[in-house]
Amino acid sequence: MELLSPREAAAFALSLLDLTNLRDDCDYAAIEKLCQRAQTPYGNTAAICIWPRFVAHARQILGAEHPVRIATVVNFPSGDLDVATVVGETRKAIEDGADEIDMVIPYRKLLAGDEAAVTEIVEAVRAACPNACLKVILETGELKDSVLIRRASELAIAAGADFIKTSTGKVAVNATLEAADIMLQAIRDSKKRVGFKPAGGISTVADADLYFRLAETIMAPNWIMPSTFRFGASSLLDDILGVLSGSTTVRASSGY
């Protein structure tokens, strides 16, 4: 990838954005606004990412074959629900019209040494949504240790993840370039077609460009595309639109 101008980076980031509203106060009106915001004068975001209870409403708004995909979350944000419950959440979300499932691994169990718990739940959710894009959230800010982040990445990939995702955006430390480096290397070394999604705290085009640089360094040229790379963010869209429209407004990082 050649060095991108701010405008080029903004346009690229727009095409890779999972525009997110996972706020506790989200309501139906907010979902309607999110669907509208995802369709900009400069192109669409890749997806919206919303609570499961709003999936059917979003599908009604967007229609059956809309280019903006609907992602939702399961085992979120705690990662500590039982497998049967998470499978049930997943099946209901698919029935309601979700295209993509972002699931949290039982990271507390992994911290306690239980690798099998991660494999079991990822495999179960994979089986429950065979035709959906499955993004597996590692919650790297809670795992902290580089060896554990690497192992979580390997377990998720082996169990059938289409993407590995850094964070829920609900903890103190979310996406970091350090975690991204470890996860991208795990994807590269797996030799599988698995995508990467940094999420939480990415609020400017300049932030996004740092992740572009890192991914380009680790992965093959032209690897970055919507099927292999997404950003999970809400305020990032404001900066993208500011850059594309010529505004000089700079927004501070605010996560979700």
Side-chain angles (χ1 to χ4, degrees):
M1 182 190 298
E2 297 179 359
L3 187 65
L4 299 177
S5 70
R7 188 178 178 85
E8 289 169 334
F12 197 27
L14 176 64
S15 73
L16 304 170
L17 180 60
D18 286 2
L19 182 63
T20 300
N21 187 333
L22 294 170
R23 292 171 56 95
D24 293 336
D25 62 356
C26 186
D27 58 18
Y28 287 100
I31 294 301
E32 291 165 14
K33 182 178 179 181
L34 193 75
C35 290
Q36 293 168 0
R37 290 184 70 219
Q39 303 170 78
T40 85
Y42 307 99
N44 296 332
T45 67
I48 57 171
C49 186
I50 58 178
W51 292 108
R53 63 184 178 273
F54 298 119
V55 168
H57 187 56
R59 178 54 68 202
Q60 185 176 30
I61 294 167
L62 294 174
E65 300 294 334
H66 201 281
V68 175
R69 297 172 69 81
I70 298 174
T72 193
V73 291
V74 299
N75 205 25
F76 188 96
S78 64
D80 58 8
L81 298 177
D82 64 85
V83 173
T85 299
V86 179
V87 166
E89 286 183 328
T90 303
R91 289 177 174 157
K92 178 65 163 60
I94 297 299
E95 290 172 4
D96 285 348
D99 301 299
E100 305 181 353
I101 300 293
D102 289 29
M103 68 153 289
V104 184
I105 65 167
Y107 59 88
R108 293 186 184 89
K109 289 184 178 179
L110 182 60
L111 282 164
D114 188 356
E115 294 187 353
V118 176
T119 299
E120 180 188 13
I121 199 166
V122 177
E123 287 182 343
V125 172
R126 171 78 285 168
C129 61
N131 299 316
C133 178
L134 176 59
K135 308 190 203 92
V136 177
I137 305 170
L138 308 185
E139 202 68 291
T140 54
E142 295 295 289
L143 295 180
K144 296 182 176 70
D145 180 71
S146 60
V147 174
L148 205 53
I149 293 169
R150 170 73 185 215
R151 187 60 184 145
S153 301
E154 293 170 345
L155 291 168
I157 292 168
D162 293 309
F163 276 72
I164 50 176
K165 175 178 172 181
T166 59
S167 322
T168 60
K170 297 289 189 179
V171 295
V173 177
N174 293 291
T176 66
L177 289 167
E178 292 78 12
D181 192 338
I182 296 164
M183 293 168 69
L184 285 162
Q185 288 188 55
I187 291 170
R188 179 197 63 197
D189 294 347
S190 76
K191 297 181 170 58
K192 294 185 177 181
R193 185 176 174 82
V194 175
F196 171 66
K197 179 177 173 179
I202 301 166
S203 61
T204 68
V205 173
D207 290 339
D209 197 48
L210 293 174
Y211 285 91
F212 291 153
R213 301 288 122 228
L214 179 63
E216 179 71 7
T217 299
I218 295 171
M219 306 303 292
N222 303 314
W223 179 79
I224 303 173
M225 60 186 72
S227 62
T228 56
F229 194 104
R230 301 284 184 86
F231 289 110
S234 55
S235 57
L236 176 58
L237 181 61
D238 296 315
D239 200 55
I240 287 170
L241 296 178
V243 171
L244 292 174
S245 67
S247 167
T248 56
T249 301
V250 176
R251 292 179 60 86
S253 176
S254 60
Y256 286 165

